[in-house]
Amino acid sequence: MTITRTRVYTWVASLGLLAQGAATLAALLVPAIDRAMPALLQETQMVASHSLLHIGTGMLGLAALAWRGRGGTDWPRRFAIGFGLFYVVLAVAGERSGAPLCLGLKPFDHSVHAVLGGIGLLAAAIDDIRSYLAARTST
């Protein structure tokens, strides 16, 4: 199995999303967790819909890793591109509208989404360029 930038990005993004979503959702649903770690919700200001989106997206990324190349499709690459585009569009929409977009988004979320989405798109672009150059030099 080849380790690509999109696979690394998908692993890191998926595990990070799952951990962050699960922790904040637990703090929202279980007052004792919020009392034990009050900074978690104070710093992130997460709402349940945002936490659930992170959990769902993290699970989707892990599914993409499990499926790998099934059907001739590079699923981690598709995840990196799709998630990257979603995050960049979400960042632009949130920044331009100033609205929470049903996710309780705060102004600091937009820059985080833009950077994380951009990294996914960059990882896919670099992998594509490397594949193209490798195919060109092997012929």
Side-chain angles (χ1 to χ4, degrees):
M1 173 185 346
T2 304
I3 297 175
T4 62
R5 284 160 187 76
T6 53
R7 284 185 63 74
V8 171
Y9 173 80
T10 301
W11 271 112
V12 172
S14 298
L15 294 176
L17 287 162
L18 277 171
Q20 195 274 343
T24 54
L25 187 61
L28 286 165
L29 296 176
V30 181
I33 295 174
D34 186 35
R35 283 192 301 276
M37 299 183 296
L40 182 61
L41 292 179
Q42 289 171 358
E43 294 299 319
T44 64
Q45 301 177 23
M46 293 289 282
V47 297
S49 59
H50 199 167
S51 296
L52 289 169
L53 180 62
H54 281 200
I55 292 168
T57 308
M59 291 171 62
L60 183 63
L62 292 179
L65 288 162
W67 294 332
R68 279 180 253 162
R70 287 194 185 151
T73 301
D74 183 354
W75 291 106
R77 178 182 170 277
R78 286 210 176 171
F79 175 84
I81 293 170
F83 182 67
L85 284 172
F86 173 73
Y87 252 29
V88 168
V89 168
L90 185 64
V92 170
E95 186 63 41
R96 296 206 65 187
S97 72
L101 304 175
C102 302
L103 296 171
L105 297 179
K106 307 292 186 246
F108 61 82
D109 287 319
H110 310 315
S111 57
V112 171
H113 291 154
V115 169
L116 294 178
I119 291 170
L121 295 174
L122 182 63
I126 291 170
D127 283 351
D128 287 351
I129 291 167
R130 290 180 61 106
S131 293
Y132 171 77
L133 292 175
R136 239 181 118 192
T137 58
S138 67
T139 57

mmCIF file of all heavy atoms in Angstrom, residues 26 49 53 65-66 79-80 105 114 120 135:
data_model
loop_
_atom_site.group_PDB
_atom_site.id
_atom_site.type_symbol
_atom_site.label_atom_id
_atom_site.label_comp_id
_atom_site.label_asym_id
_atom_site.label_seq_id
_atom_site.Cartn_x
_atom_site.Cartn_y
_atom_site.Cartn_z
ATOM 1 N N ALA A 26 -20.077 14.964 23.915
ATOM 2 C CA ALA A 26 -20.173 14.402 25.266
ATOM 3 C C ALA A 26 -20.286 15.516 26.301
ATOM 4 O O ALA A 26 -21.096 15.426 27.232
ATOM 5 C CB ALA A 26 -18.956 13.525 25.561
ATOM 6 N N SER A 49 -25.176 20.269 16.575
ATOM 7 C CA SER A 49 -25.180 20.017 15.128
ATOM 8 C C SER A 49 -23.764 20.052 14.551
ATOM 9 O O SER A 49 -23.424 19.252 13.674
ATOM 10 C CB SER A 49 -26.070 21.029 14.403
ATOM 11 O OG SER A 49 -25.629 22.354 14.637
ATOM 12 N N LEU A 53 -21.807 16.864 12.890
ATOM 13 C CA LEU A 53 -21.216 16.964 11.552
ATOM 14 C C LEU A 53 -19.763 16.485 11.575
ATOM 15 O O LEU A 53 -19.323 15.762 10.675
ATOM 16 C CB LEU A 53 -21.303 18.397 11.021
ATOM 17 C CG LEU A 53 -20.718 18.613 9.623
ATOM 18 C CD1 LEU A 53 -21.466 17.792 8.586
ATOM 19 C CD2 LEU A 53 -20.736 20.083 9.261
ATOM 20 N N LEU A 65 -11.004 5.418 3.816
ATOM 21 C CA LEU A 65 -9.737 4.703 4.015
ATOM 22 C C LEU A 65 -9.939 3.194 3.936
ATOM 23 O O LEU A 65 -9.106 2.477 3.385
ATOM 24 C CB LEU A 65 -9.125 5.092 5.363
ATOM 25 C CG LEU A 65 -8.561 6.509 5.412
ATOM 26 C CD1 LEU A 65 -8.381 6.956 6.851
ATOM 27 C CD2 LEU A 65 -7.259 6.591 4.645
ATOM 28 N N ALA A 66 -11.044 2.711 4.477
ATOM 29 C CA ALA A 66 -11.318 1.276 4.440
ATOM 30 C C ALA A 66 -11.597 0.800 3.012
ATOM 31 O O ALA A 66 -11.188 -0.293 2.627
ATOM 32 C CB ALA A 66 -12.504 0.948 5.349
ATOM 33 N N PHE A 79 -12.155 11.835 -0.771
ATOM 34 C CA PHE A 79 -12.490 12.449 0.517
ATOM 35 C C PHE A 79 -11.731 13.761 0.685
ATOM 36 O O PHE A 79 -12.320 14.777 1.060
ATOM 37 C CB PHE A 79 -12.174 11.516 1.691
ATOM 38 C CG PHE A 79 -12.398 12.164 3.028
ATOM 39 C CD1 PHE A 79 -13.655 12.196 3.593
ATOM 40 C CD2 PHE A 79 -11.348 12.768 3.717
ATOM 41 C CE1 PHE A 79 -13.880 12.818 4.820
ATOM 42 C CE2 PHE A 79 -11.559 13.391 4.940
ATOM 43 C CZ PHE A 79 -12.834 13.411 5.493
ATOM 44 N N ALA A 80 -10.431 13.758 0.412
ATOM 45 C CA ALA A 80 -9.616 14.964 0.580
ATOM 46 C C ALA A 80 -10.143 16.097 -0.297
ATOM 47 O O ALA A 80 -10.239 17.245 0.152
ATOM 48 C CB ALA A 80 -8.147 14.673 0.264
ATOM 49 N N LEU A 105 -21.507 28.394 13.919
ATOM 50 C CA LEU A 105 -20.163 28.845 13.550
ATOM 51 C C LEU A 105 -19.858 30.215 14.129
ATOM 52 O O LEU A 105 -20.712 31.098 14.163
ATOM 53 C CB LEU A 105 -20.003 28.891 12.029
ATOM 54 C CG LEU A 105 -20.131 27.571 11.299
ATOM 55 C CD1 LEU A 105 -19.973 27.779 9.803
ATOM 56 C CD2 LEU A 105 -19.124 26.556 11.805
ATOM 57 N N ALA A 114 -10.945 27.206 6.372
ATOM 58 C CA ALA A 114 -10.220 27.539 5.137
ATOM 59 C C ALA A 114 -8.861 26.843 5.098
ATOM 60 O O ALA A 114 -8.473 26.279 4.066
ATOM 61 C CB ALA A 114 -10.050 29.052 5.019
ATOM 62 N N GLY A 120 -6.324 19.847 2.442
ATOM 63 C CA GLY A 120 -6.844 18.676 1.732
ATOM 64 C C GLY A 120 -6.740 18.838 0.229
ATOM 65 O O GLY A 120 -6.328 17.922 -0.484
ATOM 66 N N ALA A 135 4.049 9.052 -14.324
ATOM 67 C CA ALA A 135 3.550 8.376 -15.526
ATOM 68 C C ALA A 135 4.268 8.907 -16.767
ATOM 69 O O ALA A 135 4.553 8.146 -17.701
ATOM 70 C CB ALA A 135 2.046 8.585 -15.659
#
